[in-house]
Amino acid sequence: MVVICVLMLIPFYWVLKTSLTGENIYAYPPAIIPVDPHLFNYVDVWYMIPFPRYLLNSVIVTLMAVCGNLLFNTAAGYALTRDFPAKRWVVLLLLSCMLIPFQATIIPAYLITSWLGVLNTHLGIALPMLSTIICIFIFKASFEAVPRSLIDAARIDGLSEWRVMVRIMLPLSKPAIATNVILNSIWSWNAFMWPLIITRSPEMQTLPLGLARFLSVMENTTGALYAFVVLVLVPGLAIFLMAQKEFIQGLTSGATKG
Amino acid sequence: MPMPPPIAAVEEAASPSLSSGVQLRGVVKAYGSTQVVHGVDLDIADKEFVVFVGPSGCGKSTLLRMIAGLEDITGGQIRIDGRVVNELDPSDRDVAMVFQDYALYPHMTVFENMAFSLRYRGVAKAEIRRRVDEAARILDIESLVARMPRQLSGGQRQRVAMGRAIVRDPRVFLFDEPLSNLDAKLRVAMRTEIKRLRERVAITTIYVTHDQVEAMTLADRIVILNHGRIEQVGTPEEVYDTPATVFVASFIGAPPMNLLPARQEDGTLAIAGGAAMPRIGAAEGRALLAGIRPEHLVPAGTPGTLPLIDARATLVEPLGSDTLVSFEVAGTPAIARLPPRSVRRAGEMVPLAVAADNIHVFDQQTGQRI
C-alpha cells in the first residue's frame, strides 16, 4: 500500500520539484533532490500573465457550479425519492442523458447560452455545470438511506417537504454534500472546452485557458509552466484533502444496508 | 362467559361521544387493486387506551398510519374530536407518534429532538424549556437532554421518543410497535413504564403491537385485526374469556387455546377422541370446534369437572411454576398447563378433565362463536 502511494505521489513530487528549480526535465540522470530551489517561477507566473484574473474567474465559476449543484441536485435527488407520476420515465431519461457525450451537446448548449444572453460571462461558463446527473443520483442514494420513519416524524412535527429536505435530509447527507462539492469543484476547475468556446475576452478566461495561453507565449520556461500547474492543482487538492472522508462515504453510501 | 366491566374508562368507552376521541367509519385502504383494510368501523373514547393487535400483515400499522395522516385513506371517514381529518396533513391532526425505530433526529440533541416540533409551532422559548423539562422529569431522562441519540441505549431512546410525543400535548398518542426493537427484559420494563405514563398523562392513545402480552397488559380495550378486518373489540378480559372467533381464540393466550373437532350429537358436544360434554344450542350433526384453554385442562377428579380424555404425553415442558404437557386428541395436537411435577416425562398417561363452562364452541365452517 505504501509502495503504491509513493508511486502515485511521484508525478506530483516531480512537478513540484521542477517548479522550484526550472531544470531541464529531459536531463539524464534526473536529479532526485531539487538543486538550488527558489520561488522565482511562481513570481514570474503571478506577474507575467494575468494569473490573479484567471484565478478569480476560476473561483467564481467553481463557486457558482458548486452552489448550483447543491441547490438543483438536492432538490432533484429528493424528488426522485418520492412517488410521482412517470417517475420511472424521468429516471430513465436522466440515465440515458448520461450516455450523451458533452461534445455532442456543445452546439445546442452554445445556442441556449447565447439566447439567454450570457455568452462571455461567469454565469455562461458555469451554466452547463450547474447540475450533474451523477451527483443527482448520489443525493438520491443518500436520501434513500435516511429511515422513512424520520421523514414521517418530521411530517407529524409539522415540516413541509422543503423543510424536511433542508432540516432533516441535508444534515444527514454530509458525505453526499462533500462528494458533490469535490466532484463539481474539480470538474468546473478543470473545464477547458466549454470555457474556450464561451469566452471571447481574455478577462473572462479561467485557469485552464490561461495555461494554454501561457504555453503559447512562453515556450522555454519549463519552471514557470510547472509553477503554473502547481498553482492550478493546489486548490483542488486542498478541497479533496479537507473532505476526503465524507467523499469516500458519499461514493459508497447505499452500497450497504444500515 | 359474562364479564363485569373492569374499569370506569371502559364503561365510558362503551358509549363514546362523537365530539371527542377517535371515530373510524368504513375506513378502507387499497394499494392498486389490492385492498388491505376492509371497511373498519371503530369508536375510541376520549382518554381511552386502545391496542390494535394482530399478526404481521393484518393492517394494524396501516390503520394507525391512516389515523396519523401518513397514509392516504381510500374510503371511509376518520374523525378526531369530532373533526373529519381525512384531508388534513399529519401536523394539522394534533397527533403525536412514537415509532418502532424511535425516529429520533440523529443530528440533534435530546433537548432539540423534544423541542423540534414546538419550535415549528411558534411556541415561546420559555414555554418550550418548561415543557421539555416537565417531560424529561416524567420520563426520568433529565440527565440525558444534552446528549446525542447515538449516545443513548435502546430504552433511553424510547423514553426520548415518548418525551417528544408528550411535549406536544396532543389530542391523540399513536404508538407503532414501540417496544419491538428492545430485548425481552427491557421490553417488560418499558411496558411497565408506559403503563405508569398512561396513569400520569391521560390522553387518548392508540397502540399497535403484535405482542398479545403487551396488548393484554396495557389496553383498556383491545382491537384484534386479521386480514384487514376487525375480528373482535373488547376489554382484555372479554377477548380472553369470550373470544368471538376461532382466530381470536387461537391468537390471544399463550399457549394458544386448544381447538378440537367436535359435533353436536343427541344434545351433547361430542369431541372427537374425547368424552361427550353436555352442550345445547347448535344444530344436530353440525361440525364444530371445541375450544379449551390449556389452563382449563386439569387432572381428572378435580371437583366441578368432567373427564375428557386419557392422554398420552408426547412432550413435557417443566416451567417451574407449572408444566406444559403436549398430547394428541384424535390426531389434533393439544396442550395442557398442569401443576408442577404432575407429569414427569413423555409417554406417561395423563387423565384430563374440563369444566363444561370452560368449553368454547365455534362453528367449524364460519369460525364464529356459538
Side-chain angles (χ1 to χ4, degrees):
Chain A
M1 204 67 165
V2 172
V3 173
I4 293 170
C5 286
V6 169
L7 286 172
M8 300 284 278
L9 286 173
I10 284 174
F12 291 97
Y13 171 72
W14 214 256
V15 168
L16 185 66
K17 183 186 72 100
T18 311
S19 74
L20 291 171
T21 59
E23 66 189 22
N24 183 359
I25 55 171
Y26 302 111
Y28 187 84
I32 305 295
I33 307 297
V35 180
D36 192 18
H38 56 78
L39 291 173
F40 296 138
N41 291 325
Y42 289 89
V43 177
D44 284 350
V45 168
W46 196 266
Y47 289 109
M48 285 167 67
I49 55 165
F51 186 88
R53 180 71 208 182
Y54 298 152
L55 182 67
L56 179 69
N57 290 338
S58 278
V59 168
I60 292 171
V61 169
T62 300
L63 281 176
M64 289 173 97
V66 168
C67 293
N69 270 277
L70 287 180
L71 184 68
F72 298 123
N73 295 351
T74 49
Y78 184 60
L80 290 177
T81 64
R82 316 294 292 170
D83 287 329
F84 59 86
K87 176 182 164 182
R88 200 164 149 258
W89 292 106
V90 171
V91 171
L92 209 62
L93 183 70
L94 287 172
L95 290 173
S96 58
C97 283
M98 289 174 71
L99 300 173
I100 303 170
F102 175 69
Q103 288 78 358
T105 65
I106 282 180
I107 292 173
Y110 183 88
L111 292 173
I112 292 168
T113 311
S114 171
W115 179 71
L116 290 172
V118 289
L119 287 175
N120 200 38
T121 64
H122 292 122
L123 180 60
I125 300 171
L127 198 61
M129 295 179 278
L130 288 181
S131 179
T132 39
I133 296 171
I134 183 74
C135 289
I136 291 174
F137 282 98
I138 287 172
F139 268 117
K140 178 177 178 283
S142 177
F143 291 158
E144 279 173 345
V146 174
R148 177 80 203 170
S149 60
L150 279 186
I151 302 167
D152 289 341
R155 288 180 66 199
I156 287 178
D157 280 345
L159 272 68
S160 61
E161 291 284 4
W162 184 253
R163 279 181 160 168
V164 168
M165 194 182 84
V166 174
R167 297 300 310 273
I168 307 298
M169 295 302 216
L170 282 181
L172 297 176
S173 302
K174 283 178 187 164
I177 294 172
T179 307
N180 263 260
V181 169
I182 289 172
L183 289 179
N184 289 298
S185 299
I186 291 169
W187 289 338
S188 60
W189 193 261
N190 293 337
F192 178 79
M193 188 179 283
W194 178 250
L196 179 68
I197 292 165
I198 208 85
T199 55
R200 290 171 183 168
S201 59
E203 291 75 33
M204 288 308 301
Q205 288 185 335
T206 55
L207 283 171
L209 294 183
L211 180 62
R213 188 181 168 86
F214 184 77
L215 274 172
S216 65
V217 295
M218 307 281 181
E219 286 181 358
N220 295 318
T221 52
T222 310
L225 175 66
Y226 276 67
F228 195 122
V229 170
V230 169
L231 289 172
V232 171
L233 279 175
V234 162
L237 282 174
I239 292 171
F240 178 78
L241 290 174
M242 280 189 287
Q244 62 170 333
K245 186 182 162 196
E246 282 77 13
F247 174 69
I248 291 162
Q249 279 180 11
L251 286 181
T252 55
S253 80
T256 57
K257 191 173 180 286
Chain B
M1 182 182 291
M3 281 301 303
I7 53 174
V10 176
E11 290 177 332
E12 186 185 331
S15 57
S17 158
L18 280 178
S19 62
S20 60
V22 179
Q23 290 83 42
L24 311 183
R25 290 285 174 273
V27 173
V28 172
K29 178 67 186 177
Y31 296 101
S33 59
T34 309
Q35 199 164 320
V36 294
V37 175
H38 309 269
V40 166
D41 291 298
L42 183 67
D43 290 322
I44 298 168
D46 191 29
K47 296 182 175 53
E48 190 180 16
F49 196 117
V50 166
V51 175
F52 293 173
V53 69
S56 296
C58 71
K60 55 189 186 298
S61 284
T62 306
L63 203 53
L64 190 82
R65 290 173 62 81
M66 283 197 283
I67 295 167
L70 298 172
E71 294 275 357
D72 293 334
I73 300 162
T74 310
Q77 197 175 68
I78 296 178
R79 286 172 180 266
I80 296 176
D81 281 355
R83 187 173 56 144
V84 177
V85 297
N86 286 28
E87 303 300 326
L88 290 185
D89 282 340
S91 57
D92 298 328
R93 298 188 181 202
D94 203 4
V95 299
M97 191 157 171
V98 178
F99 294 86
Q100 182 177 355
D101 60 357
Y102 325 121
L104 299 179
Y105 306 122
H107 54 299
M108 297 180 196
T109 63
V110 167
F111 180 89
E112 288 166 341
N113 264 283
M114 291 168 75
F116 192 66
S117 66
L118 299 181
R119 284 182 179 155
Y120 273 94
R121 284 159 206 271
V123 178
K125 277 187 177 176
E127 175 64 9
I128 292 174
R129 167 61 69 180
R130 190 192 67 75
R131 285 207 215 173
V132 172
D133 286 349
E134 173 69 8
R137 190 183 56 76
I138 290 172
L139 292 160
D140 198 20
I141 52 171
E142 289 158 296
S143 60
L144 307 177
V145 290
R147 291 197 197 170
M148 302 299 280
R150 65 175 174 275
Q151 298 170 307
L152 305 178
S153 67
Q156 288 170 333
R157 286 181 201 187
Q158 196 52 269
R159 279 169 199 244
V160 175
M162 287 195 282
R164 187 170 64 176
I166 290 171
V167 294
R168 288 267 308 277
D169 191 21
R171 298 297 307 169
V172 182
F173 272 144
L174 304 173
F175 288 82
D176 189 6
E177 307 208 29
L179 308 184
S180 298
N181 282 8
L182 305 178
D183 62 54
K185 194 176 172 187
L186 197 53
R187 201 179 307 156
V188 174
M190 285 304 294
R191 204 170 65 208
T192 312
E193 201 74 37
I194 292 173
K195 188 95 176 168
R196 285 203 187 114
L197 182 69
R198 156 108 181 89
E199 284 157 13
R200 300 177 74 169
V201 185
I203 290 176
T204 310
T205 304
I206 305 173
Y207 186 107
V208 162
T209 181
H210 62 267
D211 183 342
Q212 49 146 323
V213 179
E214 269 173 45
M216 296 292 283
T217 51
L218 292 173
D220 289 337
R221 281 194 303 161
I222 296 178
V223 178
I224 298 151
L225 290 148
N226 187 30
H227 296 309
R229 290 189 173 83
I230 291 180
E231 292 272 339
Q232 188 173 4
V233 182
T235 64
E237 292 82 358
E238 281 169 354
V239 296
Y240 189 81
D241 292 337
T242 53
T245 64
V246 168
F247 174 80
V248 176
S250 58
F251 190 80
I252 298 291
M257 183 183 279
N258 299 304
L259 293 163
L260 308 174
R263 280 187 183 280
Q264 181 84 6
E265 285 174 5
D266 302 329
T268 63
L269 183 71
I271 297 173
M277 294 285 161
R279 189 78 198 183
I280 51 170
E284 274 303 300
R286 193 169 172 185
L288 304 169
L289 284 172
I292 306 170
R293 294 232 175 255
E295 60 271 28
H296 291 150
L297 286 168
V298 294
T302 305
T305 62
L306 297 168
L308 176 69
I309 185 176
D310 281 339
R312 182 182 296 279
T314 55
L315 183 69
V316 178
E317 298 168 275
L319 300 178
S321 59
D322 41 38
T323 300
L324 298 181
V325 180
S326 300
F327 56 95
E328 285 192 358
V329 183
T332 304
I335 195 162
R337 187 189 291 276
L338 298 175
R341 290 174 282 279
S342 56
V343 182
R344 294 287 184 178
R345 58 186 64 82
E348 280 184 35
M349 292 305 292
V350 188
L352 293 171
V354 64
D357 285 347
N358 286 333
I359 301 176
H360 309 261
V361 182
F362 302 93
D363 187 302
Q364 206 173 92
Q365 200 169 11
T366 64
Q368 296 295 311
R369 184 184 186 87
I370 294 174

